[in-house]
Amino acid sequence: MSEETKVTKPSSGVLPRLLAAFVIGLILGGLGTFLVQSSQYSAQLSDLQNRVNTLQAAVNALNTTKIYTIGVSFPLTGELSDVGNQWKTVAQMALNDLNSELANENVKVQFKLVIVDDKTQAQDALTAVQSLAQQGIKVVVGPAASSQVKAVKAYADANQILIVSPSSTSPTLAIPNDFIIRTVGSDAVQAEALAKLAFEQGARNVVVFYRDDEYGQAFAQFFNNVFSSLGGKATLTKYATGLPDYASEVAQLSSQVKAIGADAVVMISFDTDGANILGHAKDDPTLSSVRWFSSEGVHGTTQLLSPEIATFIRKVNLLGTRPVFKENPVYIDFAARYKSLTGRDPPVFAANVYDSIILVGKAILLAGKYDGAAIRAAMFKVASNYYGASGWCILNSAGDRMYQDYAIWTVSSVNGTYEYQDIGSYSGGTITWG
Amino acid sequence: MNLIDLGVVINTLWIGLIYSLMAIPLTISYKVTRVLNFAHTSLVTVGAYVAVILSLVYPDFFSNVFVALIAAFFAGAIVAILNHKFVYRKLMDKEASPVILMIASLGSWIFLKYLIYSVISIVSKVIKKDLYFAVPAFRYTLNLNFLGISNPSLTYSLILGISLIVLTFVVFYRTSFGKAMRAVSDNPQLAQISGISDESVMTLTWFLCGGLAAISGVFWAMFSYASPEFADSLILQVFAACVIGGISSIALTILGGFVIAGAENILMSILYNLIGLDLSFRPFLSFLTLLIVILVRPPAGAAGGLPYRLKFKRERKWT
């Protein structure tokens, strides 16, 4: 073999190796970069997806209507069933107004009511509030009577259930920082108004005939304080509540009025008991010969407009006080709509019931969440800017209505039929007639 | 100060009469059917409301007390018979014990009470009048004036009530139907053997008792007022009157009614004027009286009834 046959192997130099390494490095680097970038993209993508989902949920939430429930505890049976059933209509009116206003503004929130009967009993009011709370309800309009509000107070405070009573007026329940809000003024002022009215009308020696419950006791006590300080003498006589008839009590009242030579009777009653008492008093010569004064409880009862009782009211010139809402356009509209719906004038505290429902609805919207404490805080803010059927609803620190005027009412004959009439008002400590 | 005024005496008379009128049908129905009928108060309420609603809706016809009373009588009677046919009869056929029947009557009571509430609520909306506190719109044409009572509804209900009690006595003690009722109540098996149909006597008893209860409701509404629960708040007093009468004797039941009414009014008046006892103690007095009567003079009824006891003593003397 010659030397030419000797094939020289191509020299394996550094360069090709470097080239290969570079290409491999390039491929690996490209691959790595791709991998890293693609993971970044996927993170961004999922982030975007999340945002889209959130937006989609928000859009859905805006499109689907959120429903909040307002609990209502009204006396549909028992002593206050007369007004309780009328309030039910009022509450339904308020709910419809609230919901249609929200629908008109395209706010996707609606309210619904769960109405429970508390039988005008303290214990049943507690059961009613408890059963509403068990359904997850955080705000309850009602109960009506002060004795009932007192009964539910401890439970409401402990469980942060906001109680909004449209009609509890006992001064003993004016307590700051609790979960009780009352869209009506405390009776401390009304008792003062009634005492001044009776004194101004010439009564000096009166029998205060009052319900033996939270409302009656506090009212009678406050009345007595003011009336005595004016120089009058008040004898306090209480009667048992929830009786089917008060003929015996009226007979006793008559003999007491005769015995102490009283010149007037001041009646602190609810509606059915008050109307029944007047129904029996009209047959009693002694009770027909003294003046009568009354709180707001019996105002609005149709029975007082019957010719027999109305004649008695005219004879003894019965005058009463009642929390009133200065005639305002909202009330006039409300009263007209109520009358067209039911054929009757709105009953006592109807405007407060109406405003309570509206206020609660607005407070839930402002609070933005369904929570007792938050709604309570929002309630004060909403109320300070709300002028409703009952007028300005601004609340004081105890959660009671701050500005409450009182009217002086009686029953008088208008065109041959008897009607309730406001013949004066009490505001800022003075009585104004007309 | 007088211890008792004339007004108090008149109230005692009136309320005693109403308690008696409400308690008599309860006693009779228990005697004959052995059902302690808690649904009794619903029959009273039905009567009151039938009179109230009819007199408000058809004043031309039903403002006459007598017409309204007849309508109320039939309404109460029909409800009582339906209650018997659909509840008590079914249970009696299954030989239910008196305790089961009593519990069933509690059920009927609550059922009827809410039925009444629903009817009132609907009618009230339709006729646009308040029915939760209502008085029948009767026209009292006769001017009855005695004892210085000026209120015609009071005199009417007093006179009609007394007549009704007399009529009940006549029916129960002077007619063959009354005799049949007493026979069934004394010994149902023997009565059946003698050819007296148990079921038809019971149906007639419910007819009579339902009607009487309804009429007593109208009397109450005439002088006081009708509300869906007025009769419920009277049930304890009415039962007290029955218990004093031993749920057996009609005469003693009437006495019981007046004893309870007397305690609530005359005794209350005396205690109020003597020691200044609060008027809000009135319900307490009626039950104190009931307890005293039961303790001092154990009631008849379950133990045989006062007439039976006298008879028993008499027989023992003779033997």
Side-chain angles (χ1 to χ4, degrees):
Chain A
M1 276 261 266
S2 66
E3 276 186 342
E4 289 104 73
T5 57
K6 218 179 190 178
V7 177
T8 50
K9 279 169 131 183
S11 64
S12 47
V14 180
L15 194 66
R17 291 186 185 181
L18 272 177
L19 207 64
F22 175 69
V23 168
I24 292 167
L26 209 61
I27 292 168
L28 281 177
L31 204 70
T33 315
F34 174 75
L35 282 175
V36 169
Q37 279 190 344
S38 78
S39 78
Q40 273 179 356
Y41 282 138
S42 81
Q44 277 180 358
L45 200 68
S46 72
D47 186 42
L48 268 175
Q49 191 63 50
N50 280 345
R51 286 188 198 182
V52 168
N53 286 345
T54 323
L55 278 172
Q56 191 64 48
V59 168
N60 286 345
L62 282 176
N63 282 329
T64 53
T65 307
K66 192 162 176 56
I67 294 177
Y68 289 112
T69 313
I70 302 173
V72 175
S73 165
F74 278 170
L76 304 180
T77 60
E79 247 183 314
L80 287 175
S81 59
D82 187 7
V83 287
N85 282 281
Q86 299 180 62
W87 286 357
K88 206 167 110 179
T89 316
V90 174
Q92 211 62 50
M93 265 175 74
L95 180 80
N96 293 343
D97 291 356
L98 198 59
N99 281 341
S100 59
E101 189 185 333
L102 289 171
N104 288 342
E105 299 293 328
N106 277 329
V107 181
K108 299 286 181 184
V109 173
Q110 289 283 286
F111 291 97
K112 71 169 190 174
L113 299 181
V114 175
I115 302 180
V116 184
D117 174 23
D118 61 36
K119 303 175 184 164
T120 332
Q121 296 290 333
Q123 183 54 46
D124 290 302
L126 181 58
T127 316
V129 171
Q130 282 170 339
S131 65
L132 288 170
Q134 278 157 8
Q135 297 173 39
I137 291 171
K138 295 286 180 196
V139 52
V140 177
V141 174
S146 293
S147 51
Q148 294 179 297
V149 173
K150 194 181 178 189
V152 304
K153 181 178 152 39
Y155 180 82
D157 286 349
N159 294 285
Q160 305 211 331
I161 310 288
L162 185 66
I163 301 292
V164 182
S165 175
S167 58
S168 156
T169 51
S170 172
T172 51
L173 287 167
I175 302 162
N177 300 323
D178 62 357
F179 274 76
I180 309 288
I181 281 180
R182 301 189 294 177
T183 55
V184 64
S186 138
D187 273 337
V189 183
Q190 193 187 179
E192 181 187 300
L194 192 59
K196 284 185 178 169
L197 173 68
F199 197 82
E200 196 191 288
Q201 290 285 305
R204 293 294 178 269
N205 182 10
V206 302
V207 177
V208 182
F209 195 50
Y210 66 97
R211 286 175 64 81
D212 190 7
D213 68 357
E214 196 64 30
Y215 164 72
Q217 287 157 1
F219 200 117
Q221 209 52 55
F222 276 76
F223 177 92
N224 189 18
N225 295 345
V226 179
F227 198 66
S228 310
S229 72
L230 291 171
K233 179 174 174 291
T235 311
L236 304 187
T237 300
K238 59 188 173 189
Y239 61 84
T241 61
L243 297 183
D245 190 76
Y246 290 89
S248 314
E249 279 70 15
V250 171
Q252 292 302 330
L253 175 67
S254 162
S255 59
Q256 188 181 30
V257 165
K258 205 190 287 174
I260 66 170
D263 49 21
V265 174
V266 177
M267 180 175 81
I268 315 296
S269 69
F270 278 179
D271 53 352
T272 47
D273 51 342
N276 186 242
I277 287 167
L278 292 177
H280 290 307
K282 74 179 174 4
D283 299 326
D284 187 289
T286 311
L287 295 177
S288 305
S289 62
V290 292
R291 283 292 301 273
W292 280 70
F293 298 94
S294 167
S295 67
E296 85 285 6
V298 76
H299 179 271
T301 317
T302 42
Q303 217 51 48
L304 261 61
L305 305 180
S306 71
E308 297 83 18
I309 298 186
T311 314
F312 170 76
I313 290 177
R314 289 308 334 129
K315 189 174 171 193
V316 298
N317 195 5
L318 183 145
L319 297 180
T321 51
R322 69 184 186 104
V324 80
F325 337 108
K326 289 254 169 78
E327 287 279 295
N328 68 55
V330 189
Y331 182 77
I332 292 169
D333 171 58
F334 161 74
R337 284 192 297 142
Y338 182 83
K339 192 157 188 171
S340 74
L341 205 64
T342 61
R344 301 168 61 175
D345 287 324
V348 66
F349 296 126
N352 302 57
V353 171
Y354 182 85
D355 286 345
S356 298
I357 301 275
I358 303 272
L359 277 173
V360 165
K362 296 196 169 187
I364 293 174
L365 289 178
L366 181 67
K369 55 181 173 177
Y370 196 61
D371 169 79
I375 301 170
R376 179 182 176 280
M379 193 73 180
F380 281 86
K381 285 185 199 152
V382 172
S384 63
N385 289 309
Y386 178 74
Y387 188 88
S390 64
W392 282 114
C393 293
I394 304 163
L395 301 172
N396 64 17
S397 59
D400 295 344
R401 191 193 194 85
M402 193 185 279
Y403 299 108
Q404 178 76 66
D405 291 322
Y406 295 91
I408 295 164
W409 65 269
T410 189
V411 170
S412 39
S413 170
V414 180
N415 303 329
T417 54
Y418 288 100
E419 279 180 14
Y420 285 98
Q421 280 202 322
D422 291 337
I423 53 166
S425 61
Y426 180 86
S427 185
T430 47
I431 295 171
T432 319
W433 294 99
Chain B
M1 183 188 271
N2 289 340
L3 280 185
I4 309 162
D5 276 1
L6 180 66
V8 177
V9 178
I10 293 170
N11 274 331
T12 311
L13 265 181
W14 180 74
I15 291 178
L17 186 71
I18 294 281
Y19 286 168
S20 311
L21 272 175
M22 288 184 187
I24 287 171
L26 196 60
T27 298
I28 295 180
S29 62
Y30 178 73
K31 253 173 94 92
V32 178
T33 66
R34 296 282 144 198
V35 179
L36 195 53
N37 187 22
F38 276 93
H40 185 71
T41 57
S42 303
L43 302 175
V44 175
T45 316
V46 165
Y49 269 107
V50 164
V52 166
I53 293 173
L54 288 178
S55 70
L56 286 175
V57 179
Y58 304 106
D60 295 341
F61 198 52
F62 289 101
S63 63
N64 186 319
V65 184
F66 300 98
V67 180
L69 280 178
I70 291 168
F73 181 94
F74 279 100
I78 289 167
V79 174
I81 290 176
L82 288 177
N83 192 28
H84 169 65
K85 294 283 181 200
F86 286 107
V87 184
Y88 303 147
R89 187 71 261 167
K90 303 261 184 228
L91 287 170
M92 281 171 182
D93 288 345
K94 291 177 186 159
E95 299 190 343
S97 69
V99 176
I100 301 287
L101 287 170
M102 191 188 77
I103 292 169
S105 84
L106 276 172
S108 294
W109 172 25
I110 292 165
F111 169 77
L112 286 171
K113 176 173 154 176
Y114 283 94
L115 191 68
I116 291 168
Y117 260 113
S118 327
V119 172
I120 289 171
S121 161
I122 294 165
V123 176
S124 179
K125 275 179 195 139
V126 172
I127 67 172
K128 298 201 168 179
K129 282 207 170 97
D130 175 21
L131 289 178
Y132 292 93
F133 178 97
V135 177
F138 291 151
R139 270 198 309 273
Y140 303 101
T141 40
L142 297 174
N143 189 17
L144 304 165
N145 211 333
F146 74 111
L147 287 173
I149 308 170
S150 57
N151 189 337
S153 61
L154 183 60
T155 41
Y156 262 73
S157 55
L158 273 177
I159 292 168
L160 288 172
I162 291 167
S163 327
L164 201 64
I165 287 182
V166 173
L167 195 68
T168 312
F169 265 100
V170 172
V171 169
F172 204 65
Y173 291 107
R174 288 282 177 271
T175 62
S176 54
F177 167 55
K179 202 183 251 179
M181 279 205 291
R182 282 181 290 138
V184 172
S185 77
D186 281 348
N187 191 333
Q189 282 82 19
L190 192 62
Q192 208 146 20
I193 293 166
S194 322
I196 299 170
S197 159
D198 187 26
E199 175 59 14
S200 52
V201 168
M202 279 197 191
T203 308
L204 272 172
T205 305
W206 282 118
F207 177 79
L208 189 71
C209 293
L212 274 181
I215 285 189
S216 66
V218 184
F219 287 152
W220 176 274
M222 276 160 72
F223 178 55
S224 187
Y225 64 94
S227 77
E229 286 189 30
F230 81 89
D232 293 350
S233 16
L234 291 170
I235 191 165
L236 288 171
Q237 278 90 335
V238 171
F239 266 99
C242 283
V243 168
I244 290 176
I247 326 185
S248 162
S249 154
I250 297 182
L252 279 181
T253 302
I254 296 171
L255 183 71
F258 281 97
V259 166
I260 296 291
E264 282 183 346
N265 292 276
I266 295 178
L267 186 63
M268 179 75 240
S269 172
I270 293 171
L271 289 176
Y272 176 74
N273 291 322
L274 271 186
I275 60 169
L277 185 73
D278 268 329
L279 289 184
S280 47
F281 274 92
R282 182 156 78 99
F284 159 78
L285 283 181
S286 38
F287 297 104
L288 182 70
T289 313
L290 173 69
L291 274 180
I292 291 172
V293 170
I294 289 179
L295 291 173
V296 172
R297 169 98 200 60
L306 189 62
Y308 299 85
R309 212 177 294 173
L310 287 176
K311 200 168 130 198
F312 178 63
K313 272 186 191 161
R314 220 166 37 226
E315 279 166 4
R316 211 167 39 178
K317 211 164 37 178
W318 288 341
T319 49

